[in-house]
Amino acid sequence: MAYPFVFRAQASPVRVEDHKAAKDAAPPVPQAREPWPAAGASGSARPHGAGARWLGGLGSGERLVSAYDLVETMQYLYVRVVKARGLPASAVTGGCSRPYVEARVGNYRGATRHVEGTSSPEWNQVFAFSRDRVQATALEVFVRDKDALARGDDCVGRVAFDITEAPARVPPDSPLAPQWYRLEGTGGRMAASGEVMLAVWVGTQADEAFADAWHASDASVRGGGGGGAAAVQSTRSKVYVTPKLWYLRISVLEAQDVFVPPGAGGIAGKGRHADVFAKVQVGGVVLRTRPCSARSPTSLEWNEELVFAVAEPFDEPAVLIIQARAQPGKDEIVGRAVLPLTLFERRLDRRQVQAQWFSLEPFGGPPEAVFAGRVQLRACLEGAYHVMEEPTMYASDTRPTDRQLWRPPIAVLEVGVLSAQGLTPMKTVDGRGMTDAYCVAKYGHKWVRTRTVVDSCSPRWNEQYTWEVYDPCTVLTLAVFDNCQLGTATAAGSGAVRDQRIGKVRIRLSTLEMDRVCTTAHPLVVLHPSGLRKNGDLCLAVRLTCLSLGGAVFLYGQPFLPRMHYAQPFTVLQLDNLRQQAMGIVAARLSRAEPPLRREVVEYMLDADSHAWSIRRSKANFLRVTALLSGAAGTARWLADVCRWKNPAATVLVHVLFVTLVCFPELILPTMFLYMSAAGLWSYRRRPRRAPHMDARLSCAEAVHPDELDEELDTFPTSRPNAVVRVRYDRLRSVAGRIQTVVGDVATQGERVRSLLAWRDPRATALFTAFCLVAAVVLYVTHIRVVALVAGLYVLRHPRFRSRMPSAAGNFFKRLPSRGDTML
């Protein structure tokens, strides 16, 4: 029979890694390697400007197409096993067989699951063999019977192919149609019965089948054979979409006809009224109002607003509970109402939402009771806010929840995750260190995860992903992790089965040049209890393709967040609470995907611990402020040197410039702006060519004390012994004492300014009032240019006319009183 690209050479058995003698006669593997069919442009050429393009309009039916040219093309032999028919009965049981298919290329082989009791099984599974790993030119597909495995003759039939004759496919070509192939028996004879439906082609990592395919590297997955399907599944590359998040605003206004239990009335009998409060629970989050004194048994008023973060689909209702405090420390439920979130209106502006009455159900009362009062609520789902699940400074998306309020995209972001170099072994398996690395990238609602490269400290992914960009001042976050779910492995330094952090990279899109490819190796650094750990480098190729330059420039003058954040803002405490809620929702949803994106991965990507106290981070922020003020301090030192005439030529030039600007004040602002524009043009030559990376020196992480680092990595609440916590508390008190002193000094200077006219010191206020009167008269009769010229020449006077003692104005100011005198 003449099957397309069927290989039928008969000779010695095929070589496999775990068999010295094959079970069946098989074609030989040729020694000379012939080239595979070209499945796309090989190499790593990255032409400038050849980025993603749009097909169709931006309204409806738009589709984004990526050129997939940022990464090196990697060729794969794809084998799609669809199904089989007409298989013979099992020779062991006499009934239906338990067939499975094995695909074998050289020393690599992959097997489908076995199907119970059928002669027409269906698998629909894809195998991918990398050209870099495979030296053979022959592909064999065996149909085997699991029942006959113990007899050593489990082969039902096989089909052999010559790889060099396999067709090449490059997306967006349609998938190759599978065909029926008649099974051959051993020795080249046709099998008694049976056919298998297959499709064989040569493609690249851009193929749609790449993500779900079984790869040749999966053969080395620990636990990957037999019952290790879950371990193999956790190595797949996947794209995740976070749920659509809303803010749920519930205003608890009042309740009527609420029955207060007799136990609470006992308190009222002593001249006090029972405290009644409302509690709302959405998912695992519970918020409560302040207590309301039940002076009237028929009406209770709170007028308090509670805000939650919720996600579509709204499968969890809001549960409203009215509780009364019968005794100190004991609350009794008076009534409750279960409110599906679909009952609430979706609001896109600031208009007032109509209040509604909801009936309360009795809780724990007699079965015949069906009414326990009613409560009035004003509730809505806010669609004009952006729900923040990450810190605002690292935000990757600022669009409001409702799609009607979105602007069109202004750019397309393409990221090629090329490889990692010099990764540190993260765990120990069978006495040797190894790393199973994968990369996670997050931007907006789209998260991506590359495949796991097993047992490699220099993994090559060569995967490319695309995002739509709606704001150029957002941040792309990538991180590399070690997959610790592949069988039994002991993480270095701990026995927890958690994916270990290798390092993180942040790229602010506004630092990228439009329509250019930026290929950079970013260092992967992470804080470890033993200190700063350099774990290698992550090689990325990033391109930002502009769709609307005018739209991008227009956004620089717009608010960073949607307008509702400024028209009806939340408090700082509310924002922190809502961010924690949103982060928990995203982590829970992504951890339920398949393969799951584990909670520790999501929390690391979203910087869940950014609000935690850290002495190292406090020092780094203090040094940032110091560096920010260093320019002003340098200018002050230069002016002091000018005033001291350390460089007479420079001092004379400053005098000339000062007199010129005083005589012609209309030149001050033009000169200032001209200088800044010239400085900007001059610094263009030294502009940064690459995106910035994580700076260990800026983070004060190079020489951090181990105890400070252990405190930063501690859990909340702490899990350290009492003695360690006591030492850290004393250290925190000393640091806070110095901060307290600085804050007190700042407050003292401000209060001295206020006391100038407060008559707390009558003599000082009288002197200042008289001085202001004289100064007003002098300034009225003297031209402002003369005043400025005299004041400037006085400041720039020669050191011969200066005194080493403080000035009279400074002495007067330091003698003013402050409110610190009245503090305990």
Side-chain angles (χ1 to χ4, degrees), residues 122-143:
E122 293 188 10
W123 297 282
N124 198 23
Q125 185 170 344
V126 180
F127 300 92
F129 299 90
S130 174
R131 181 178 184 178
D132 296 336
R133 291 175 174 264
V134 175
Q135 303 295 327
T137 59
L139 163 68
E140 289 184 298
V141 179
F142 294 90
V143 178

Side-chain angles (χ1 to χ4, degrees), residues 342-577:
T342 54
L343 297 176
F344 303 141
E345 180 182 355
R346 302 189 181 192
R347 187 172 69 166
L348 304 182
D349 49 28
R350 295 186 61 188
R351 60 185 174 82
Q352 187 75 12
V353 178
Q354 187 69 27
Q356 294 177 296
W357 288 97
F358 297 93
S359 298
L360 296 175
E361 302 174 356
F363 182 81
E368 61 274 6
V370 294
F371 181 75
R374 60 176 186 166
V375 61
Q376 187 182 33
L377 305 177
R378 181 180 290 115
C380 66
L381 293 166
E382 299 283 4
Y385 288 89
H386 172 71
V387 181
M388 300 293 297
E389 73 274 11
E390 55 194 344
T392 308
M393 67 184 73
Y394 308 137
S396 62
D397 188 17
T398 59
R399 291 172 294 172
T401 297
D402 198 280
R403 197 180 186 90
Q404 302 178 27
L405 305 178
W406 291 5
R407 296 190 181 99
I410 54 96
V412 173
L413 174 65
E414 296 171 274
V415 178
V417 184
L418 304 179
S419 61
Q421 301 173 355
L423 297 185
T424 304
M426 301 300 294
K427 55 179 173 288
T428 302
V429 177
D430 297 332
R432 67 183 185 90
M434 63 185 305
T435 298
D436 305 323
Y438 66 91
C439 180
V440 176
K442 174 192 70 68
Y443 184 80
H445 297 301
K446 179 180 176 182
W447 295 50
V448 299
R449 167 180 174 160
T450 67
R451 71 187 188 282
T452 300
V453 179
V454 181
D455 193 11
S456 175
C457 291
S458 298
R460 296 172 58 213
W461 293 291
N462 284 312
E463 299 182 22
Q464 183 170 336
Y465 300 96
T466 306
W467 287 269
E468 299 172 358
V469 177
Y470 294 85
D471 194 314
C473 302
T474 46
V475 178
L476 167 71
T477 304
L478 304 98
V480 181
F481 299 88
D482 176 53
N483 194 335
C484 296
Q485 315 305 316
L486 308 182
T488 304
T490 302
S494 68
V497 186
R498 294 166 57 93
D499 288 356
Q500 301 296 310
R501 307 171 180 177
I502 297 180
K504 182 191 291 184
V505 175
R506 295 194 194 98
I507 300 177
R508 187 170 293 275
L509 302 192
S510 58
T511 62
L512 301 175
E513 297 186 26
M514 290 286 191
D515 302 320
R516 293 183 63 89
V517 177
C518 177
T519 305
T520 315
H522 298 265
L524 297 173
V525 294
V526 69
L527 290 175
H528 193 264
S530 60
L532 182 69
R533 177 179 291 182
K534 175 70 166 59
N535 289 329
D537 298 290
L538 176 63
C539 300
L540 301 173
V542 183
R543 176 171 56 209
L544 187 64
T545 304
C546 182
L547 298 178
S548 173
L549 182 59
V553 174
F554 171 76
L555 286 175
Y556 276 89
Q558 298 301 306
F560 184 68
L561 295 174
R563 297 183 183 275
M564 281 294 291
H565 285 269
Y566 308 96
Q568 194 172 355
F570 295 111
T571 64
V572 176
L573 293 178
Q574 280 182 318
L575 287 176
D576 290 342
N577 185 26

Side-chain angles (χ1 to χ4, degrees), residues 194-211:
E195 292 178 311
V196 62
M197 179 179 283
L198 305 172
V200 180
W201 72 94
V202 174
T204 66
Q205 70 269 38
D207 201 290
E208 294 87 346
F210 177 81

Side-chain angles (χ1 to χ4, degrees), residues 274-328:
D275 290 334
V276 183
F277 57 89
K279 183 168 64 175
V280 181
Q281 178 177 356
V282 180
V285 180
V286 179
L287 300 179
R288 54 178 292 177
T289 65
R290 65 184 184 278
C292 174
S293 180
R295 291 183 173 87
S296 172
T298 60
S299 179
L300 301 169
E301 293 186 2
W302 293 282
N303 290 321
E304 192 165 345
E305 184 177 89
L306 308 176
V307 185
F308 300 85
V310 295
E312 291 185 356
F314 303 127
D315 49 1
E316 293 183 345
V319 180
L320 173 68
I321 301 175
I322 305 297
Q323 288 185 329
R325 180 152 299 168
Q327 299 175 3

